[in-house]
Amino acid sequence: MALCERVAGGSSLLWPRVLLFGDSITQFSFQPGGWGALLADRLVRKCDVLNRGFSGYNTRWAKIILPRLIRKENSVETPVAVTVFFGANDSSLQGENPKQHVPLDEYRANLRDMVQYLTSAGIPQERVILITPPPLHEAAWEKECILKGCKLNRLNAVVGEYANACVQAARDCGTDVLDLWTLMQKDNQVLSFSQSFQDHRHKAGLLILSIRWPAFITSGKRVSVLKPLAAAGQETLLSAMAASLLEGRGGSKARAESARGRRPLVGPGNLPSW
């Protein structure tokens, strides 16, 4: 009824915005069946879900472009919640992939800086969710590297160090964190998955979607972001998950940025992809 009255009165209808900020795991999440697309479906008529994923990006470059995505003076378009999902590229081995590699201490500091910027732009810290990089199936990833003519450039143990740094950054900032690296490896489940990346996409997507999004966004109080799933396939939406994790994860040649920190291109049409 209130909605009809607003329409009749000529008021603009503005939905709250949820912004997904990350690398290729986020960029490709709006592909058919992706976790971002399913999240948008879950929040339809409640929130507009915006995809701001940049394939190949690390936190060093993400920190540079964040002020171009969310401006402090634009309160109307300020998101009500933001996910910050980086680390898969930062954790690349320096010797094998120096362009994307970001040292561990810098990664943690970059996450803190981005959270601080978001809060200064009017987004409460309890509405920011940090997401750790997911675990790496080394055997499957090594096959991808060989196909591209390079050596194995990531190790799951190293990814775990970055995941832990992400958790620590969240604690430093007072934000919630979704520890995909730990959750996806409970009882060594990552080792029992098939060699395909699709299984990893599916499981990570389930965990991201298990966030109690409507309560998280509408509640005025802090809400724990994790809701345990009683069983696989508990909800039709979740059981249908087949998303975009690891799609294009750092497999292409770097086009835009050196490890020295030059500013990346920041136009919507010419942001470098990987």
Side-chain angles (χ1 to χ4, degrees):
M1 187 64 178
L3 180 61
C4 293
E5 291 174 351
R6 288 178 64 188
V7 173
S11 300
S12 298
L13 298 178
L14 299 176
W15 271 256
R17 298 182 172 197
V18 174
L19 189 138
L20 312 181
F21 185 40
D23 51 33
S24 63
I25 299 173
T26 299
Q27 177 175 323
F28 296 111
S29 71
F30 270 46
Q31 291 180 340
W35 64 269
L38 294 180
L39 178 60
D41 182 68
R42 169 168 288 190
L43 296 179
V44 68
R45 293 183 62 178
K46 298 181 180 71
C47 293
D48 289 334
V49 179
L50 306 180
N51 186 330
R52 295 297 181 266
F54 300 92
S55 178
Y57 268 47
N58 55 31
T59 54
R60 182 181 295 158
W61 306 331
K63 187 174 71 170
I64 293 173
I65 65 171
L66 181 58
R68 299 289 299 272
L69 303 177
I70 300 174
R71 297 186 181 275
K72 293 182 180 180
E73 66 272 13
N74 197 343
S75 59
V76 175
E77 296 185 357
T78 300
V80 297
V82 177
T83 61
V84 180
F85 192 178
F86 289 95
N89 298 314
D90 301 69
S91 60
S92 297
L93 301 179
Q94 184 174 14
E96 299 298 333
N97 189 358
K99 290 187 176 181
Q100 289 181 298
H101 171 80
V102 171
L104 191 62
D105 289 342
E106 181 187 346
Y107 168 72
R108 181 176 174 181
N110 289 341
L111 289 176
R112 289 198 302 259
D113 289 346
M114 287 190 283
V115 172
Q116 290 171 3
Y117 177 82
L118 290 171
T119 57
S120 71
I123 303 168
Q125 62 186 26
E126 62 269 17
R127 301 290 180 87
V128 178
I129 304 175
L130 298 187
I131 305 178
T132 74
L136 178 72
H137 195 304
E138 289 182 13
W141 185 250
E142 186 172 23
K143 290 181 180 180
E144 294 292 312
C145 291
I146 291 173
L147 289 174
K148 294 177 173 63
C150 60
K151 298 178 181 179
L152 179 66
N153 55 22
R154 305 176 192 207
L155 295 174
N156 190 45
V158 175
V159 177
E161 295 176 2
Y162 282 75
N164 184 56
C166 180
V167 172
Q168 292 175 357
R171 290 173 181 166
D172 294 342
C173 298
T175 67
D176 274 314
V177 61
L178 182 60
D179 187 356
L180 284 184
W181 192 85
T182 298
L183 292 171
M184 289 179 68
Q185 296 183 101
K186 279 190 173 181
D187 304 318
N188 293 321
Q189 291 182 60
V190 71
L191 300 178
S192 65
F193 275 24
S194 77
Q195 296 293 316
S196 73
F197 289 150
Q198 188 73 4
D199 292 324
H200 290 72
R201 299 181 191 129
H202 178 85
K203 186 171 185 181
L206 289 177
L207 291 169
I208 294 169
L209 286 176
S210 71
I211 295 172
R212 293 186 294 170
W213 285 99
F216 175 73
I217 293 167
T218 59
S219 173
K221 300 179 180 179
R222 171 175 283 277
V223 178
S224 175
V225 300
L226 293 179
K227 178 186 73 174
L229 295 176
Q234 182 182 26
E235 302 176 41
T236 303
L237 180 63
L238 297 184
S239 63
M241 184 67 189
S244 55
L245 263 173
L246 299 178
E247 185 72 33
R249 266 183 59 172
S252 305
K253 293 183 178 179
R255 296 180 190 172
E257 222 25 66
S258 72
R260 292 191 297 271
R262 268 191 306 121
R263 291 180 64 88
L265 300 174
V266 288
N270 61 2
L271 285 167
S273 58
W274 295 66

